[in-house]
Amino acid sequence: MWGGRFAAGPGALMQAINVSIGFDRRLAAQDIAGSKAHSDMLAAQSIITAEDRDAIHMGLDEIKAEIEAGTFPWSEELEDIHLNIEARLKDKIGEAGGRLHTGRSRNDQVATDFRLWVREHVELFQNQLTALIEALVEQADANADTIMPGFTHLQSAQPVTFGHHMLAYAEMFARDRARFADCHTRLNESPLGAAALAGTPYPIDREMTAKALGFSRPMANSLDAVSARDFALEALSAATICATHLSRLSEEIVIWTSAQFQFIKLTDAFTTGSSIMPQKRNPDAAELVRAKVGRIMGAFTALSIVMKGLPLAYSKDMQEDKEPVFDAFDALELGLAAMAGMVADMTPNKERLAEAAGAAFSTATDLADWLVMNLNMPFRDAHHVTGTIVALAEKQGVTLDALALADMRSVEPRITSDIFNVLTPLASATSRTSYGGTSPDNVRQQVTSWKAKLT
């Protein structure tokens, strides 16, 4: 297909390293769409005849049907998806098939196909993230007043609500969705018509092909159009951050489902058993989602290294752009679907969560705040008094709300019985009414706001 100057075909090793049809056949639908837009434009500009355009479209439709049916005769000798489709088109419609490539190159063709493919997946991820956020908001709605321990350093810190915890992840995934939306804005420019690197002398209409393919505009510089892969890097960057959030939530699910925590339960739909330990219910879905970040981050690193030293414009190195992106996006698509399913599937163990929320003197800060607000004590002094009271409770083996008032007064005589109004986990969480705080009323307000945004 690229002969003329070459008297012989590629050697076996060259063929092995050069061929990409094994993976870039995933771009078939995008390649056909781009070719239809290009041939429509060529006909509109009188570069080819309407009859040739109609024949091209008919042939491309037949090729698409063959690919979907699994009967397309793929050939490694034809290197890639573009040459495979072009050769098949010539077989079907003859000379008209050879006119399709007028005014374009494989360089702008692959750049267009790849942008279209990445754009479709960026849109998919935004939809998947919306579904995940909806699942988190539903859990928050159902558990606005379900008390659980909040952690720092994985040590019990202060009581929070389960709903508040779910909404924290909703915020994270909303930022991921926004990152993909921003990425979509920048990648949605058409390389088609840049040809090999310098443009073309044919009177093409790049605005027409850009509009036909749903791009906002044609790319303004032909060198940039064929050589840029930052759209894929940016999408991989957003995917990596998103996968990191998925991994954090997966880690919590793994911890929460353990026998030591028992904070939540997952059904058989998202757990597996053991081949020799019949009591086991393993959170394998969460563990596998947690692992996906490695593949996705690795893809970002791989493509960054491929691109880091390339001069303008196109280099064959760029053939290595697709496999890491394909692999990473497959992993993220599966991870997002699995996480949305797990979030909807999980059932909080409210009794166990409440018990854990009161452990490890988690309302100590509430005691200190009471001293500040009711006794006008400087916070640092209140912190010291509270620490002494906590040590006293720890010595007696009781929680703060079970410590006798007389014992507290032995440390600070001005303490009154009102102190017990803030020493339970529910009272602690309910008192956190500042904007963004964990109080059940705050959670319900945020749920209402989220539902309005998601409709």
Side-chain angles (χ1 to χ4, degrees), residues 14 134 369:
M14 181 62 202
E134 287 173 344
D369 289 337

Side-chain angles (χ1 to χ4, degrees), residues 128-442:
Q128 285 191 292
L129 283 161
T130 297
L132 175 53
I133 293 166
E134 287 173 344
L136 289 162
V137 170
E138 287 302 315
Q139 283 285 4
D141 193 15
N143 294 282
D145 56 1
T146 298
I147 301 301
M148 68 172 290
F151 296 95
T152 61
H153 310 279
L154 202 57
Q155 305 293 314
S156 291
Q158 292 176 282
V160 297
T161 61
F162 192 84
H164 192 59
H165 201 107
M166 293 294 98
L167 290 181
Y169 281 106
E171 295 286 342
M172 292 184 200
F173 291 122
R175 291 193 295 274
D176 291 324
R177 187 175 60 174
R179 271 184 281 273
F180 280 118
D182 288 343
C183 175
H184 187 283
T185 299
R186 275 180 288 279
L187 74 81
N188 201 34
E189 298 182 345
S190 175
L192 191 57
L197 75 161
T200 176
Y202 296 97
I204 63 173
D205 184 348
R206 294 190 62 208
E207 294 282 354
M208 179 179 174
T209 51
K211 182 178 180 181
L213 294 171
F215 289 113
S216 58
R217 64 189 68 84
M219 295 183 73
N221 184 286
S222 60
L223 287 168
D224 180 45
V226 298
S227 63
R229 292 298 183 271
D230 55 347
F231 68 93
L233 283 168
E234 184 174 4
L236 283 173
S237 174
T240 298
I241 297 170
C242 181
T244 302
H245 292 154
L246 288 173
S247 183
R248 294 185 72 179
L249 181 50
S250 295
E251 171 72 4
E252 296 206 301
I253 290 173
V254 171
I255 293 171
W256 290 352
T257 55
S258 69
Q260 289 72 28
F261 274 72
Q262 300 181 51
F263 281 4
I264 63 169
K265 182 177 181 181
L266 292 173
T267 69
D268 293 347
F270 292 97
T271 56
T272 65
S274 165
S275 62
I276 64 169
M277 295 173 284
Q279 84 280 10
K280 295 291 292 298
R281 181 189 290 271
N282 300 321
D284 284 2
E287 292 173 359
L288 289 167
V289 171
R290 182 175 60 184
K292 297 295 183 188
V293 67
R295 301 174 71 118
I296 297 167
M297 187 179 296
F300 176 77
T301 302
L303 184 54
S304 298
I305 293 171
V306 167
M307 297 302 300
K308 72 173 181 63
L310 297 186
L312 295 178
Y314 182 82
S315 297
K316 194 67 172 180
D317 309 53
M318 292 184 194
Q319 186 168 289
E320 294 296 316
D321 59 358
K322 294 165 202 66
E323 286 185 285
V325 174
F326 291 161
D327 182 69
F329 281 20
D330 286 348
L332 184 60
E333 181 181 351
L334 184 58
L336 284 168
M339 184 55 73
M342 281 188 286
V343 169
D345 184 71
M346 68 171 64
T347 302
N349 182 345
K350 295 187 178 184
E351 182 177 338
R352 174 71 187 114
L353 286 167
E355 176 188 359
F361 311 106
S362 63
T363 58
T365 304
D366 299 274
L367 194 159
D369 289 337
W370 186 93
L371 295 172
V372 170
M373 291 187 288
N374 290 272
L375 303 184
N376 197 30
M377 188 180 292
F379 182 81
R380 283 302 171 198
D381 294 345
H383 186 280
H384 178 76
V385 169
T386 299
T388 304
I389 293 174
V390 166
L392 190 58
E394 187 174 30
K395 184 176 181 180
Q396 294 184 20
V398 298
T399 58
L400 286 176
D401 59 323
L403 187 66
L405 179 60
D407 290 329
M408 293 189 197
R409 284 177 167 169
S410 70
V411 179
E412 172 50 64
R414 294 177 292 167
I415 294 176
T416 70
S417 59
D418 289 345
I419 192 69
F420 293 104
N421 294 331
V422 302
L423 293 184
T424 65
L426 178 59
S428 173
T430 301
S431 73
R432 306 293 167 176
T433 57
S434 60
Y435 180 76
T438 190
S439 75
D441 285 346
N442 278 9

Side-chain angles (χ1 to χ4, degrees), residues 56-78:
I56 289 169
H57 282 217
M58 179 190 70
L60 290 172
D61 287 339
E62 291 178 3
I63 290 170
K64 183 178 181 181
E66 287 180 345
I67 292 171
E68 290 174 348
T71 60
F72 185 87
W74 301 107
S75 169
E76 287 196 355
E77 283 70 30
L78 294 173

